Amino acid sequence: LIFIASLLLGTTITISSHHWVMAWTGLEINTLAILPLISKSHHPRAVEAATKYFLTQAAASALVLFSSMTNAWQTGQWDITQLTHPTSCLILTSALAIKLGLVPFHFWFPEVLQGSPLTTGLLLSTIMKLPPIALLYMTSPSLNPTLLTTLAILSTALGGWMGLNQTQIRKILAFSSISHLGWMVIIIAYSPKLTLLNFYLYAMMTTTVFLTLNTTKTLKLSTLMTAWTKTPPLNAMLLLTLLSLAGLPPLTGFLPKWLIIQELTKQDMTPAATLISLLSLLSLFFYLRLAYCTTITLPPHTTNHMKQWRTGKPANITIAILTTMSVMLLPLSPMIPTLI
């Protein structure tokens, strides 16, 4: 409870701060609160994940502090929105890229997610991404759009490619997170509110997937193949949520992609929009593989796993609400331009 409370506290401090040192403090509280949750199981892999997480986040926090100090040195401003010095903008972009796990600083994220339990993995891929995205949102007018676009396209490409060969579901979800971050970052210089919208919808769909996997206690593809006997309706909905994460049209996940492509073409960035749309097909492949293993068929080869007993306990109401939202929110799209 203490750790969860300090997680929320750190996130709130970062989001609501105006001064760089306060933002840095919030990021540090966040990092220190999630470390015990990662290494809770005392498995060597969990301890390794916690160590990797700590080192990368400490480096990123140091860079955030360094960029804000450079900016204060040159301009005398400690305000987050007044980040104007080009060098500190570059350093800040790379620091937040390390914090988020954007390519080329993405190596820590799949490893950490693989080493931590599913609930902690859920926190890592949703709540822990919020403070860096909030900082990007606040500094977005002064960041370099070319650099951000390059990082975004590389993230979508590598998130798709490296996820193709994975069998561990947490690693697949980590790479899916990296490619989604690419979509968020490409648009932040042009329409920051779209980035936030994309992040909220992504967090909702990822929460649904993680909670569903936590209910069926599934960690890799081979156990996912036999998990359908436990709660068949939940697995059928997991299929739809995965397709929604992939961004297929009648589902919620299509909404941010549609708006982002529209905004990019308005900004005369049609090549970038085409490229990022084609690269999202890579991640569609591994979502389809997950969906295939979830519901469509039992594998042609015989599995060595016993069939699971159907557990009597139904899925809870949270999963039901989240699943419904992550499948059926597309009709809200006419409202969004009015909000943005």
Side-chain angles (χ1 to χ4, degrees):
L1 190 64
I2 292 173
F3 295 135
I4 299 284
S6 27
L7 253 182
L8 295 173
L9 173 75
T11 309
T12 317
I13 288 177
T14 306
I15 292 170
S16 55
S17 58
H18 293 290
H19 196 285
W20 271 115
V21 175
M22 283 304 288
W24 173 80
T25 313
L27 289 171
E28 283 299 303
I29 293 174
N30 246 354
T31 304
L32 294 175
I34 194 97
L35 283 172
L37 297 176
I38 298 176
S39 57
K40 192 169 58 177
S41 63
H42 297 300
H43 189 276
R45 182 159 280 186
V47 176
E48 179 193 352
T51 314
K52 283 179 178 169
Y53 185 75
F54 174 72
L55 291 173
T56 46
Q57 299 299 312
S61 295
L63 279 177
V64 167
L65 210 52
F66 180 57
S67 81
S68 52
M69 279 169 64
T70 316
N71 190 57
W73 207 340
Q74 300 288 344
T75 62
Q77 277 289 352
W78 275 104
D79 197 310
I80 292 184
T81 48
Q82 303 291 324
L83 187 82
T84 46
H85 194 255
T87 316
S88 42
C89 285
L90 274 175
I91 298 172
L92 180 82
T93 311
S94 54
L96 292 180
I98 298 174
K99 278 244 171 252
L100 288 168
L102 279 170
V103 173
F105 311 107
H106 63 287
F107 296 104
W108 63 273
F109 189 50
E111 299 290 326
V112 170
L113 215 59
Q114 180 56 31
S116 48
L118 279 170
T119 41
T120 313
L122 165 64
L123 291 175
L124 279 171
S125 19
T126 54
I127 296 184
M128 299 302 288
K129 300 266 188 264
L130 188 55
I133 284 194
L135 287 178
L136 272 177
Y137 179 84
M138 287 189 270
T139 54
S140 59
S142 48
L143 298 177
N144 180 353
T146 322
L147 176 66
L148 288 174
T149 310
T150 315
L151 286 179
I153 287 176
L154 283 174
S155 297
T156 320
L158 275 168
W161 258 310
M162 294 175 74
L164 293 181
N165 212 11
Q166 303 293 337
T167 55
Q168 296 287 341
I169 295 178
R170 283 170 294 184
K171 277 197 174 171
I172 292 181
L173 286 169
F175 288 118
S176 107
S177 175
I178 292 169
S179 61
H180 272 277
L181 282 170
W183 280 90
M184 290 173 215
V185 168
I186 197 166
I187 199 67
I188 195 143
Y190 308 106
S191 170
K193 284 187 176 160
L194 265 186
T195 299
L196 284 188
L197 171 77
N198 193 345
F199 177 73
Y200 295 145
L201 293 178
Y202 159 75
M204 186 178 68
M205 295 185 287
T206 309
T207 309
T208 315
V209 172
F210 269 108
L211 290 178
T212 308
L213 294 174
N214 196 33
T215 309
T216 55
K217 298 283 178 283
T218 318
L219 291 177
K220 50 184 188 289
L221 286 180
S222 52
T223 45
L224 187 62
M225 289 171 179
T226 54
W228 62 274
T229 48
K230 280 187 179 176
T231 45
L234 190 59
N235 262 26
M237 291 312 287
L238 178 61
L239 163 81
L240 287 175
T241 314
L242 286 166
L243 294 181
S244 182
L245 258 179
L248 288 183
L251 308 167
T252 310
F254 178 60
L255 173 59
K257 293 194 170 168
W258 175 25
L259 291 172
I260 286 172
I261 290 172
Q262 190 179 354
E263 185 62 37
L264 284 175
T265 40
K266 276 184 197 164
Q267 301 286 350
D268 287 336
M269 289 178 62
T270 319
T274 314
L275 194 55
I276 201 166
S277 314
L278 287 173
L279 289 171
S280 71
L281 291 175
L282 287 168
S283 44
L284 172 64
F285 176 80
F286 61 75
Y287 288 126
L288 279 178
R289 204 168 98 202
L290 272 173
Y292 180 83
C293 289
T294 310
T295 50
I296 299 175
T297 175
L298 278 174
H301 56 80
T302 51
T303 52
N304 299 328
H305 292 273
M306 297 286 286
K307 290 281 184 292
Q308 311 279 342
W309 280 96
R310 184 174 296 199
T311 47
K313 70 176 195 338
N316 59 14
I317 187 75
T318 321
I319 300 185
I321 295 170
L322 282 170
T323 310
T324 314
M325 285 172 69
S326 47
V327 171
M328 296 186 177
L329 281 189
L330 189 65
L332 288 184
S333 45
M335 280 171 55
I336 303 245
T338 59
L339 298 175
I340 291 175

